[in-house]
Amino acid sequence: MTATATMGPLQRMAEATRTSLWNDSANPVELATAIDWGAVGATCNPVIALAVLKADQALWAERVRAYVASNPTATESEIGWAMVRRLSTEAAELLRPAFDAGDGRDGRLSIQVDPRLHTDRDALVEQAVEFHSLAPNMIVKIPATKVGIEAIEEATFRGVSINATVSFTVPQTIAVAEAVERGLTRREAVGLDTSSMGPVCTIMVGRLDDWLKIVAKRDGVVLDPGMLEWAGVAVFKEAYRIYQERGYRLRLLSAAFRNHMHWSALIGGDVIISPPFAWGRLLNASDIDPVPSIETPVPDRIHETLYSHLPDYRAAFDAGGIAPEDFLDFGATRRTLRGFIAACADLETWVRDIVLADPS
């Protein structure tokens, strides 16, 4: 039996196709395992960070107390984000071998800007630049809202490799790509290097599915079972087609898994698949054959049914379905930003419970 034959499906995909595997977690134990599967990237955001900090409570509580001893006037927010920075830089170090071996496209740790800054372009840019400086292989996540798109262009010009997040629709992916292209072109025009940058645009495929299920229930739309599992896949495939056609210099990333098609239907292209660790473990233990599938179209009947019954699907699928000034009003955008902002509040509560622990 060959070595390839003994690999799991994720490993075989990473070995045999252009598709990169990242891990949607910065947990060091999980990341080390995912690297064994072929993962060459990882993600940290407020939700992920809080889960990791809580999972190793003793270690991180000790680090919180040490930080407070050295920074006695730090706010709960400052303390929490100091822990996020430390978690992210430690995860980035695990990915350095892949980064050093490549051209800057992989081996990166995605760290997300504070989502509470989403209305402030300049604050997003300044934090992106600061996070970029934490390690050579950082990539910085900025939300794909109108303000975020403006920040993405400026951060790219300043040399930050960005990963657009809070992104669910073809119009957002196009706006992100155009902003990145403008930023890269501006850098090149003044003689600055772009060759080692590795920009990415995430599509949170499962969160789009989640939103359309809410819309269908709200509006009394009855569809055949399983149809709503295809929406994120269809949007990703359409965005990929447009990216290939226009030659954009960034890759798409599939995240927020809800079913195996968020991986299995998107294999083979120059894209990134980033399952949460639990999903990665399931997929790598499955008997799914990781055959190239990115250019296999969604069945016409499914696409046409979704398109005719759900205006929000049309808005997500059509290149001009949503104007940038309306990105923030798309349901999945608001739900996801609210969740990320709530996680920031939960992070502060976690810090408070350590700093002001009941002495009894």
Side-chain angles (χ1 to χ4, degrees), residues 83-107:
M83 298 304 107
V84 172
R85 288 174 176 83
R86 183 163 182 178
L87 170 63
S88 298
T89 53
E90 291 177 359
E93 189 60 29
L94 293 175
L95 294 163
R96 277 297 298 272
F99 179 77
D100 292 340
D103 57 5
R105 285 159 55 83
D106 285 314

Side-chain angles (χ1 to χ4, degrees), residues 158-236:
R158 296 200 195 181
V160 178
S161 291
I162 66 92
N163 177 0
T165 187
V166 194
S167 173
F168 317 90
T169 71
V170 171
Q172 286 174 293
T173 66
I174 293 173
V176 167
E178 295 288 351
V180 167
E181 291 295 332
R182 290 192 298 271
L184 292 173
T185 299
R186 288 170 57 198
R187 271 186 77 75
E188 292 163 345
V190 294
L192 296 173
D193 179 57
T194 62
S195 62
S196 62
M197 296 175 68
V200 169
C201 181
T202 290
I203 302 180
M204 305 180 90
V205 284
R207 286 180 179 265
L208 175 61
D209 292 355
D210 292 346
W211 172 244
L212 293 179
K213 289 171 187 176
I214 291 169
V215 169
K217 182 176 181 180
R218 181 195 68 195
D219 296 346
V221 176
V222 178
L223 302 174
D224 287 348
M227 279 197 170
L228 287 165
E229 303 298 320
W230 285 88
V233 169
V235 164
F236 194 100

Side-chain angles (χ1 to χ4, degrees), residues 35-259:
I35 289 171
D36 288 340
W37 299 335
V40 288
T43 297
C44 191
N45 63 38
V47 175
I48 289 171
L50 185 59
V52 176
L53 300 179
K54 286 183 174 181
D56 199 347
Q57 178 78 8
L59 170 66
W60 288 100
E62 179 181 347
R63 289 178 171 184
V64 165
R65 287 189 285 267
Y67 184 86
V68 170
S70 299
N71 303 272
T73 63
T75 66
E76 291 162 354
S77 179
E78 290 167 343
I79 298 165
W81 278 92
M83 298 304 107
V84 172
R85 288 174 176 83
R86 183 163 182 178
L87 170 63
S88 298
T89 53
E90 291 177 359
E93 189 60 29
L94 293 175
L95 294 163
R96 277 297 298 272
F99 179 77
D100 292 340
D103 57 5
R105 285 159 55 83
D106 285 314
R108 290 187 176 272
L109 188 284
S110 275
I111 180 173
Q112 184 167 324
V113 295
D114 188 331
R116 294 169 296 189
L117 303 177
H118 71 90
T119 60
D120 188 334
R121 169 195 175 276
D122 291 342
L124 290 172
V125 171
E126 292 307 317
Q127 191 169 72
V129 170
E130 188 245 316
F131 283 176
H132 166 75
S133 71
L134 293 175
N137 55 330
M138 284 294 181
I139 185 171
V140 182
K141 301 177 78 172
I142 298 175
T145 59
K146 183 178 186 296
V147 172
I149 299 297
E150 296 169 358
I152 284 168
E153 177 183 343
E154 181 61 22
T156 299
F157 169 66
R158 296 200 195 181
V160 178
S161 291
I162 66 92
N163 177 0
T165 187
V166 194
S167 173
F168 317 90
T169 71
V170 171
Q172 286 174 293
T173 66
I174 293 173
V176 167
E178 295 288 351
V180 167
E181 291 295 332
R182 290 192 298 271
L184 292 173
T185 299
R186 288 170 57 198
R187 271 186 77 75
E188 292 163 345
V190 294
L192 296 173
D193 179 57
T194 62
S195 62
S196 62
M197 296 175 68
V200 169
C201 181
T202 290
I203 302 180
M204 305 180 90
V205 284
R207 286 180 179 265
L208 175 61
D209 292 355
D210 292 346
W211 172 244
L212 293 179
K213 289 171 187 176
I214 291 169
V215 169
K217 182 176 181 180
R218 181 195 68 195
D219 296 346
V221 176
V222 178
L223 302 174
D224 287 348
M227 279 197 170
L228 287 165
E229 303 298 320
W230 285 88
V233 169
V235 164
F236 194 100
K237 286 176 180 285
E238 177 66 2
Y240 179 76
R241 182 191 68 77
I242 292 171
Y243 270 44
Q244 294 302 108
E245 182 181 87
R246 300 185 184 182
Y248 292 137
R249 290 178 285 176
L250 71 169
R251 290 179 292 171
L252 292 168
L253 180 152
S254 170
F257 279 40
R258 301 294 186 268
N259 64 64

